[in-house]
Amino acid sequence: MSASFLEKLLCLLADMAALTCAFILLFLLQYHWGWVPDKLDTSKDINNYIRPMLFLNGTWVMLFAINGLYRKWMLHSRIYEIWCMSRSIMFGWFLIFCLFFGPSLMGSVFKGHQINIFLDPFFMVMLYYGALLFSLLIPSRLMVQWFVRFLLLKGFGTDRFIIIGINKA
């Protein structure tokens, strides 16, 4: 197995694991731990939210693939990878925010109602989700890069070749 294939596979698995952990932690923050006002409901079960979680994870993976986050990162710096991940996370977070919160915000603006989005529970949920994405996705990617580099230094994933010939040097 080549190192680039292993890197892509591990990045995909790490992203899926981090996205799943972010969703589960968000669910716990929202419904079981009471960090979001007016959302405490311990009777809700995570099993009812498996399909939305899988859909959201698939959407994130497609967004990451479109932004080129599953390419070879061995030739790029870790700072550049963090920058690309941060940019993709911010774009996806803003897209989700606009899709879910935009219609109610625009409706209240056209009706002339004054709305404070900072007091809305959905805004708090989105802030927590963005913070969880940043704090779980970027370190998981860096750990994958560290692991692949460790494997390459140990000789795993490198091509073996023999140099034949004599040179007068």
Side-chain angles (χ1 to χ4, degrees):
M1 180 181 314
S2 71
S4 63
F5 176 74
L6 180 67
E7 179 187 20
K8 289 176 187 177
L9 180 66
L10 287 176
C11 283
L12 179 66
L13 291 175
D15 287 348
M16 289 299 287
L19 289 168
T20 302
C21 287
F23 190 88
I24 291 171
L25 283 173
L26 183 69
F27 177 82
L28 292 173
L29 285 172
Q30 186 175 358
Y31 294 119
H32 289 275
W33 296 340
W35 282 33
V36 179
D38 303 328
K39 292 284 188 172
L40 184 64
D41 186 7
T42 56
S43 65
K44 293 199 179 208
D45 188 26
I46 190 70
N47 293 330
N48 298 334
Y49 293 91
I50 296 292
R51 266 201 248 160
M53 178 184 65
L54 292 176
F55 176 75
L56 200 56
N57 288 0
T59 306
W60 277 109
V61 167
M62 282 193 325
L63 178 70
F64 291 161
I66 289 170
N67 286 329
L69 294 178
Y70 296 116
R71 62 177 176 241
K72 291 182 184 180
W73 286 102
M74 291 179 207
L75 301 177
H76 299 285
S77 70
R78 301 300 165 245
I79 300 295
Y80 182 68
E81 183 176 9
I82 290 171
W83 168 251
C84 290
M85 283 291 293
S86 301
R87 190 179 56 201
S88 296
I89 291 169
M90 284 301 295
F91 177 74
W93 181 87
F94 186 71
L95 189 66
I96 291 171
F97 183 78
C98 288
L99 285 175
F100 288 112
F101 195 66
S104 66
L105 182 65
M106 293 305 289
S108 64
V109 166
F110 286 131
K111 290 178 184 175
H113 297 262
Q114 203 172 22
I115 186 170
N116 189 355
I117 63 169
F118 299 110
L119 297 177
D120 193 298
F122 180 74
F123 184 75
M124 299 266 306
V125 168
M126 287 304 295
L127 280 180
Y128 290 143
Y129 189 55
L132 286 170
L133 288 176
F134 273 105
S135 63
L136 292 174
L137 277 169
I138 291 175
S140 69
R141 273 297 183 101
L142 291 177
M143 288 188 336
V144 165
Q145 296 304 325
W146 173 81
F147 183 68
V148 168
R149 181 183 169 121
F150 174 76
L151 289 178
L152 283 173
L153 289 175
K154 293 291 182 183
F156 182 78
T158 57
D159 295 327
R160 299 176 192 252
F161 58 91
I162 298 174
I163 300 174
I164 301 175
I166 291 182
N167 190 3
K168 293 181 182 180

